[in-house]
Amino acid sequence: MIEFVLLVNKQGQTRLAQYTTFRPVKERSALEGEIIRKCLGRSVDQCSFIEHMNLKLVYRRYASLFFIVGVDKDENELAVLEFIHCLVETFNQYFKDVCELDVMFGIEKAHFILEEMVANGYLIETNKNNILEPLYLMEKKK
């Protein structure tokens, strides 16, 4: 089960955070700080999987953003890497070569894309066209 998805820049600033299970704000802040320090402190030669408390962290760096996904211990790490890649491809298709500013200024659309892909901590959709169709329809109505 996916516990959370974080998008973090190289300076360690969180640009998008979406949790699928409730955590108090203080706990979220502390958890994000620890996770970001762990992931950003690793070299490119090291593997993209980290065990942290009762979670597995799977992360991947694309351009200036780190995509970090926290999952429970039973989740397959390679499947989570595929999910991250699919998320990035979907962002790229919608934002046309996604960058940090696209996520910052289109945060509601980024959350919408993520919510179309994940429900209650489980991956429900990976087809980019099916994910983006509601967004395109909403834009068409404007």
Side-chain angles (χ1 to χ4, degrees):
M1 182 173 140
I2 296 172
E3 300 283 330
F4 57 83
V5 177
L6 301 174
L7 269 66
V8 179
N9 67 9
K10 288 191 279 188
Q11 289 77 35
Q13 299 166 319
T14 303
R15 295 303 180 197
L16 180 140
Q18 184 154 339
Y19 290 80
T20 60
T21 56
F22 175 76
R23 291 181 190 270
V25 175
K26 283 186 178 182
E27 185 183 328
R28 284 183 183 190
S29 299
L31 181 66
E32 284 179 26
E34 293 170 18
I35 289 169
I36 291 168
R37 275 191 295 281
K38 274 190 171 184
C39 292
L40 269 62
R42 294 172 63 92
S43 71
V44 289
D45 298 337
Q46 291 178 300
C47 129
S48 296
F49 314 132
I50 304 172
E51 299 249 346
H52 180 73
M53 296 186 336
N54 60 343
L55 296 170
K56 284 186 202 175
L57 303 176
V58 181
Y59 71 96
R60 183 96 190 250
R61 180 179 169 195
Y62 286 93
S64 65
L65 286 174
F66 283 85
F67 289 75
I68 305 170
V69 179
V71 296
D72 59 15
K73 297 241 183 224
D74 300 326
E75 200 69 40
N76 182 339
E77 297 95 342
L78 295 177
V80 177
L81 270 178
E82 282 295 318
F83 160 68
I84 292 172
H85 187 70
C86 182
L87 178 62
V88 171
E89 285 183 336
T90 308
F91 280 171
N92 276 336
Q93 185 172 333
Y94 183 75
F95 291 113
K96 311 290 186 259
D97 292 329
V98 69
C99 67
E100 183 179 349
L101 289 175
D102 291 328
V103 174
M104 287 173 56
F105 293 121
I107 191 74
E108 67 282 345
K109 291 178 177 147
H111 274 285
F112 189 87
I113 290 170
L114 197 51
E115 287 169 2
E116 285 291 311
M117 294 179 77
V118 178
N120 295 327
Y122 294 98
L123 186 61
I124 57 169
E125 185 64 70
T126 57
N127 184 314
K128 292 184 275 288
N129 294 328
N130 290 347
I131 294 165
L132 295 175
E133 186 177 352
L135 269 173
Y136 293 143
L137 289 172
M138 285 191 296
E139 287 175 357
K140 197 175 184 181
K141 287 286 185 184
K142 287 185 179 179

